[in-house]
Amino acid sequence: MRFNRTRHRLLHHLYLKFKSDYDSTDLTGQKKTINADKAGLTFSQIDNLLKNKKKDRELILSELYKNKEIHFFDLKVGKGCMIDEDYGISAYSNKKYLNENNKIIRNFILFVLPIIGLVVAITNLYLQFDSFKETKNNEIENLNSKVEIMESSIEKLKNTNPQIAE
């Protein structure tokens, strides 16, 4: 999930560089050409953005490259990448990677909520069963005490009148 946020942040930086170079290009020509050294970020600049995590950089850039959202370059200033005018800008403006995070979170919640509901239901049933069991135990104790009272009454009657015993 954190890679998706980082991909979006990297696309943001690449888009800003692309936009600044695009805005500064001469409008009189047929088609604007974007200079990779002005519109792109070198790997060292990307490492600075990612706080020098080279493995993270490779994972992040590989997904962007696979989806044709960036292009790599190798110039005198160093190796780096720049945003693709079509796919990359579209992914950035549509917040593709932030939306993927939201999907992951939504799926997680949709998975966890029924489990939480089940745990609550089982706990509730267990508590109701305990309450039911306690109520029934109290009723049995009351019946037992009434039986004891009746038995003691019968014994008293037997002792006072010996003819009843026969």
Side-chain angles (χ1 to χ4, degrees):
M1 272 183 26
R2 68 183 171 96
F3 288 143
N4 286 332
R5 285 191 303 266
T6 307
R7 283 184 189 104
H8 182 77
R9 194 177 70 209
L10 181 60
L11 283 175
H12 173 73
H13 287 286
L14 288 169
Y15 173 74
L16 292 178
K17 292 275 288 192
F18 173 83
K19 188 174 180 320
S20 67
D21 185 48
Y22 191 80
D23 291 342
S24 68
T25 309
D26 183 19
L27 294 173
T28 59
Q30 286 277 33
K31 184 177 178 183
K32 290 185 176 186
T33 56
I34 305 299
N35 296 328
D37 58 337
K38 293 180 184 174
L41 293 172
T42 63
F43 288 155
S44 61
Q45 292 171 325
I46 293 171
D47 287 343
N48 287 337
L49 284 173
L50 301 177
K51 298 178 178 88
N52 294 321
K53 296 180 182 174
K54 187 175 181 175
K55 288 182 182 179
D56 290 352
R57 179 190 76 200
E58 292 170 358
L59 287 171
I60 291 164
L61 292 180
S62 66
E63 181 71 18
L64 294 172
Y65 181 73
K66 182 182 92 175
N67 293 327
K68 300 178 183 177
E69 295 162 350
I70 60 169
H71 300 288
F72 290 110
F73 61 81
D74 187 6
L75 301 172
K76 290 180 183 177
V77 293
K79 294 182 179 183
C81 64
M82 61 183 282
I83 195 166
D84 181 77
E85 290 182 54
D86 297 323
Y87 296 115
I89 292 174
S90 174
Y92 170 69
S93 64
N94 293 330
K95 298 179 182 178
K96 173 183 176 180
Y97 294 103
L98 295 179
N99 290 335
E100 284 185 18
N101 265 5
N102 292 339
K103 285 180 189 175
I104 292 169
I105 291 169
R106 186 175 63 243
N107 288 339
F108 178 76
I109 289 172
L110 289 175
F111 177 75
V112 169
L113 279 179
I115 293 172
I116 291 172
L118 182 64
V119 168
V120 168
I122 289 172
T123 304
N124 190 21
L125 285 173
Y126 177 76
L127 292 175
Q128 283 184 350
F129 179 72
D130 275 355
S131 173
F132 177 75
K133 190 168 89 174
E134 202 171 297
T135 304
K136 292 302 173 188
N137 284 341
N138 287 339
E139 289 177 8
I140 291 171
E141 286 177 19
N142 287 339
L143 290 174
N144 283 339
S145 66
K146 287 180 182 179
V147 167
E148 286 175 6
I149 291 171
M150 292 172 134
E151 285 176 350
S152 68
S153 297
I154 291 173
E155 283 298 318
K156 283 181 186 177
L157 283 173
K158 281 183 185 179
N159 289 340
T160 58
N161 196 348
Q163 289 179 350
I164 298 177
E166 296 176 3

